[in-house]
C-alpha cells in the first residue's frame, strides 16, 4: 500500500488540530502539525536576528539548521511568531525544507 497523507487546513483557532488528531487516532495514522514546524523555524530565525525580508539570509540560515524540536511550546504560539511563520511560508524553498 502506498503511503497516505491527509491534510487539514483552515483558519486559526478553528479546531484543525483537534480534528486532525481525531482522524489520525481513528485511522491509526501518525499526526504531524506542520504549522508547528513553520512556527519553530520562524522562532529560530527570529532568535538568530535573521532579516525576514532577506530571502538569501533566510536560505543560508535554514541550510545551517541540522534539526530542530517538534515539541510544542508556548514560545512559538505567540502572535509575533505566527506572523513571522506566515511571512516565511510563502517561499517555495521554506516549504521544501519543511516537507
Amino acid at each position: 500500500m502506498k503511503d497516505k497523507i491527509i491534510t487539514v487546513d483552515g483558519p486559526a483557532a478553528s479546531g484543525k488540530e483537534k480534528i486532525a488528531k481525531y482522524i489520525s487516532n481513528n485511522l491509526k495514522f501518525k499526526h504531524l502539525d506542520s504549522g508547528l514546524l513553520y512556527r519553530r523555524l520562524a522562532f529560530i530565525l527570529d532568535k538568530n536576528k535573521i532579516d525576514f525580508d532577506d530571502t538569501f539570509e533566510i536560505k543560508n540560515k535554514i541550510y545551517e539548521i541540522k534539526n530542530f524540536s517538534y515539541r510544542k511550546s508556548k514560545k512559538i504560539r505567540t502572535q509575533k511568531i505566527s506572523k513571522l511563520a506566515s511571512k516565511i511560508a510563502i517561499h517555495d524553498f521554506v516549504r521544501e525544507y519543511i516537507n
Side-chain angles (χ1 to χ4, degrees), residues 44-61:
I44 291 168
L45 295 174
D46 185 50
K47 187 176 174 183
N48 284 275
K49 298 181 181 7
I50 300 300
D51 180 355
F52 281 75
D53 293 319
D54 185 340
T55 56
F56 182 75
E57 197 174 350
I58 295 169
K59 257 185 207 179
N60 284 339
K61 187 60 185 176

Side-chain angles (χ1 to χ4, degrees), residues 79-96:
Q79 187 72 18
K80 176 185 176 184
I81 296 300
S82 290
K83 284 181 181 180
L84 292 175
S86 294
K87 195 167 187 172
I88 61 170
I90 64 169
H91 301 297
D92 289 338
F93 68 91
V94 173
R95 289 193 304 277
E96 245 178 66

Side-chain angles (χ1 to χ4, degrees), residues 34-84:
S34 63
L36 180 140
L37 301 179
Y38 286 100
R39 285 186 196 91
R40 176 66 66 188
L41 181 57
F43 179 79
I44 291 168
L45 295 174
D46 185 50
K47 187 176 174 183
N48 284 275
K49 298 181 181 7
I50 300 300
D51 180 355
F52 281 75
D53 293 319
D54 185 340
T55 56
F56 182 75
E57 197 174 350
I58 295 169
K59 257 185 207 179
N60 284 339
K61 187 60 185 176
I62 282 176
Y63 294 117
E64 285 177 13
I65 301 168
K66 300 300 179 209
N67 58 33
F68 57 85
S69 172
Y70 298 101
R71 292 182 184 195
K72 290 183 181 181
S73 166
K74 288 183 181 180
K75 292 178 185 177
I76 65 170
R77 292 284 182 183
T78 65
Q79 187 72 18
K80 176 185 176 184
I81 296 300
S82 290
K83 284 181 181 180
L84 292 175

